[in-house]
Each structure stands twice: as structure tokens, then as C-alpha cells.
Amino acid sequence: MRHSPITSRLFSQNRENLCKKLPIQALAIVHANDILPTNADGTFPLHPNSDLFYLTGIEQEESILVLFPGAPDPNHREILFVKKSNEHLKVWEGYKHTQADAQKISGIQTVYWSEDFEDIFQLLSQETDIFYLNNNEHSRASNEVETRDERWSKKIRKDYPLHEIERLAPHLHALRFCKRPEEVKLIKQAIDVTTCGFRKVLRMVKPGVMEYEVEAEWAREFIKRRSKFAYSPIVASGKNACVLHYLQNDQTCRKGQLLLMDVGACYANYNADLTRTIPVSGKFTRRQKQVYNAVLQVLRQSIENATIGKSLKEWQSDAHAMMTEEMLRLKLFTKEEIKKESTDQPACRKYFMHGLGHSLGLDVHDVSNEQSKFLDNSVFTVEPGIYLPDEGFGIRLEDNIQITPNGPVNLMSEVPIEPEEIEDIMNS
Ligand code: GLY
Ligand code: MN
Ligand code: MN
């Protein structure tokens, strides 16, 4: 792994918190993700399973966690299974965890080989009536491909039809939604790397530069700093910025245009999610600055509004009201048009068509809590935007915040955002 070691206390505390939510006789299982195919004999790099990482710190394929708080054998209360290396793997893939390494990373004392999972699981199954099985229950997940968790769940249902089955995901989501101090520290590290990238990019953007050259500059900074892209970066000049999921990054940045960059680093599986919009020639036009300041105003006020207990719905609807006011000032529509709006269809949707923010952590669109309310130590993005294809530009500004009892803390306060500061750095 590229990142510095993380204290295993984080993972053992997470396991302890999860076990407190389960009945004592329950047996919970979490699997690693599959290594997915590309074409021919190719594969994508493994994307670690966030739940498994949260509970173990393990990022290796074919790993399995079993939590069995009431196991008659105390050595079986926590079991980690990892893939056993062999001569072939040593030659072709190199390092795989030894049992001792897996113990050290996770803090789990009982580590077996994954190849023995089925036999051991059969013995454990005789000591419990309830399996807690994991599944991707993200509210927006739409995935045609079966995960390893799902595949094993099917097998367990077939092989043990008389055991009771419960869902693990709601408990994991509730825990993961509120970040522990070590997690906030890791998110901040991802933000620091992202900040370095942004400062570098500010000094290289000029008319004629290609969007992919800008992407390369971000990549260089991230990789150099033990990180990778948290998601496919959006580097969108001119009206490309109005395509919300623009990923081509293949156009020339031209004089007078704005460049919207939605780019974040992933460090130790924790993510940053930044958006900044900058003038390609180093100077905003009057109109661009007007719209920029409108978005900035909504961003600032929405950050302030993100207080413990506030519902996300209310938060977003406050932002819609502010946006509508700003858009009126920008003469994007008339008071008459506003009269037609409803709570479900606010007028500002015409130019601000996505959500105001989302939970952030081990996943970029991280798990949410059932009540959809800000809670102590939840971490969120705030990302208002105004998209004006007819005027040839779109502006989004995105910061990441931590919700605390003393109010929201902007974790991106070091990332330049004032238009004058951006102009100064670009021209220095
Ligand atoms: N970069 C993904 C998002 O802003 O939600
Ligand atoms: Mn983003
Ligand atoms: Mn975002």
C-alpha cells in the first residue's frame, strides 16, 4: 500500500462499535470486492471494499471478515481470512499479506487462509442461528454486476436455508456516516494533496493548454503524494462545464473561457471532492465574476446552514431559495417565471440541476443515515453551481465540511476561492 500505516485501533474500535449493534449470537460476514475484468485477460486494479476496509484496514482481494461476538471459542469472535500466497503468485504478483501482517494491520488475532473459509464457516454455522450478510445498499446504487458479497450471500442462503438472515448494511451505514477523529485526519490528508494539486494547476493553466494536460498535472501531484484520483476527474473548459459528468477532457482551453475542474485525491481510501472554476486567461470577465460571486455566496451561506439536526431536504430547499434570488439578480429569469415554481420544481433548477451536497468518506458519494440529517462529525460536500450553456460557461464551487457541535468546519479553507486570489496566483 502506498499510504502510511494506519493504527489498527481505528479498525478494532469500528468492529467493536458494529458488534454492539448486533445480537450476541449473530455472525456477520463482509467480503472483499472482486477484481473486475477489462477485455481479454486484462483486469482493473482492485477497488477495495469500503466496509471491509472500515472494519479491518485490509485492501487485498479475496479477504473475508467474520464477526461472531458470542462465539463459544473466544478466538472465533473476530476472524480474518486472507489469500495464501504461493510460488506462482510470488513470481507474478509479488507481495501478499502473511498472517502476521494481516494481524498487524487489522488488530485481529485469528487469521486463517481464505481457502479454508468454507470448512471453517460450516463449523461456525452450527454455533449460530443468525447470519448478518452485507450488501451494497447505497441509496443510489444501480449495479448490474453481482458483487462477491452478493454471490456468497446467495450461496449461504442456499446452503443454510434454515438460518435467519439479517441485513448488515444499515448498521454499517449508521456507523460510517459519523467519522471518527482518525478518519477526519485521513480526509484532511486527501484534501491537503488536492490543495497541492490545485495550486500547481493554477500556475500552468493558460490559453492553448489542453484539458488532458491539466488532468496530467493533477495526476502527477496526486501520485507523487501517495494518492490517486478519487473519481474520474472533470476538466471542462467553456460550455463543456455544463455537461455535469463531462469526462472526455480532450478540448483546448481558450482565452476568455472558464475552466471548471471537479477533481479530488484519494489517500488511504479516504476521499476529497473539490470543484473550482478558474479563468483560462487569468482574469474573469465582469459577467463571469458576477455569476461566480453568486455561486460563492450560496456556497458560503449553505456551509453556515449545515448544522447538527438540520435535514438535508430543508438545507437544500434553503439553498434553492438563495439561488433563485441570485439568479433574479443575474437576470436569468423574471419574477413572473418564479411564480410558476413549486417545492418539487424550484425555478433555479433550470440552471442548477444537481444536488447541493453529499456525505463524503471512504466513498465519494458516501453512505447516508436513515434520517437524512446532519449529525455530529458527519462530513459533507457543499457544491452549488450555475450552468449557462448559452453564455458558454458553467460555474461550480465545491468544498468539504465537517459538521460539529460548534458549527460546520470548512476542511477546504486553505483552497483558494476568492476570484481575486485566484487571479493573483494565476498572474504571479
Ligand atoms: N465529483 C463528484 C461529485 O461532485 O459529486
Ligand atoms: Mn465533485
Ligand atoms: Mn461532490
Side-chain angles (χ1 to χ4, degrees), residues 231 262 273-275 383 398:
Y231 48 88
D262 186 341
D273 186 2
L274 172 78
T275 308
E383 47 185 301
E398 177 172 23

Short mmCIF file of all heavy atoms in Angstrom, two decimals, residues 231 262 273-275 383 398, ligand 2:
data_model
loop_
_atom_site.label_atom_id
_atom_site.label_comp_id
_atom_site.label_asym_id
_atom_site.label_seq_id
_atom_site.Cartn_x
_atom_site.Cartn_y
_atom_site.Cartn_z
N TYR A 231 -12.05 9.94 -8.13
CA TYR A 231 -13.07 9.65 -9.15
C TYR A 231 -12.53 10.20 -10.45
O TYR A 231 -11.54 10.94 -10.45
CB TYR A 231 -14.41 10.32 -8.79
CG TYR A 231 -14.27 11.77 -8.40
CD1 TYR A 231 -14.31 12.79 -9.35
CD2 TYR A 231 -14.01 12.13 -7.07
CE1 TYR A 231 -14.12 14.10 -8.99
CE2 TYR A 231 -13.82 13.45 -6.71
CZ TYR A 231 -13.88 14.42 -7.67
OH TYR A 231 -13.68 15.73 -7.33
N ASP A 262 -13.48 19.53 -11.43
CA ASP A 262 -14.02 18.77 -10.29
C ASP A 262 -13.07 17.60 -10.10
O ASP A 262 -13.14 16.60 -10.82
CB ASP A 262 -15.44 18.31 -10.62
CG ASP A 262 -16.14 17.64 -9.42
OD1 ASP A 262 -15.42 17.20 -8.48
OD2 ASP A 262 -17.37 17.53 -9.44
N ASP A 273 -13.21 15.89 -2.40
CA ASP A 273 -14.08 16.14 -3.57
C ASP A 273 -14.16 17.66 -3.76
O ASP A 273 -14.98 18.33 -3.14
CB ASP A 273 -15.46 15.51 -3.31
CG ASP A 273 -16.38 15.61 -4.52
OD1 ASP A 273 -15.96 16.12 -5.57
OD2 ASP A 273 -17.53 15.16 -4.39
N LEU A 274 -13.27 18.16 -4.62
CA LEU A 274 -13.13 19.61 -4.79
C LEU A 274 -13.64 20.04 -6.16
O LEU A 274 -13.40 19.34 -7.15
CB LEU A 274 -11.64 19.98 -4.70
CG LEU A 274 -11.26 21.43 -5.05
CD1 LEU A 274 -11.60 22.36 -3.89
CD2 LEU A 274 -9.79 21.56 -5.39
N THR A 275 -14.31 21.19 -6.23
CA THR A 275 -14.52 21.83 -7.53
C THR A 275 -14.13 23.30 -7.44
O THR A 275 -14.49 23.99 -6.48
CB THR A 275 -16.00 21.75 -7.99
OG1 THR A 275 -16.43 20.40 -7.92
CG2 THR A 275 -16.15 22.24 -9.43
N GLU A 383 -21.84 21.98 -2.86
CA GLU A 383 -21.43 22.20 -4.24
C GLU A 383 -22.48 22.85 -5.13
O GLU A 383 -22.98 22.24 -6.06
CB GLU A 383 -20.96 20.89 -4.86
CG GLU A 383 -21.87 19.68 -4.64
CD GLU A 383 -21.25 18.40 -5.20
OE1 GLU A 383 -20.97 18.36 -6.40
OE2 GLU A 383 -21.05 17.44 -4.41
N GLU A 398 -17.04 23.73 -4.97
CA GLU A 398 -17.33 22.62 -4.06
C GLU A 398 -16.28 22.55 -2.96
O GLU A 398 -15.09 22.45 -3.22
CB GLU A 398 -17.33 21.29 -4.86
CG GLU A 398 -17.56 20.06 -4.00
CD GLU A 398 -17.74 18.78 -4.81
OE1 GLU A 398 -17.27 18.75 -5.97
OE2 GLU A 398 -18.33 17.83 -4.28
MN MN B 2 -17.06 16.88 -7.06
#
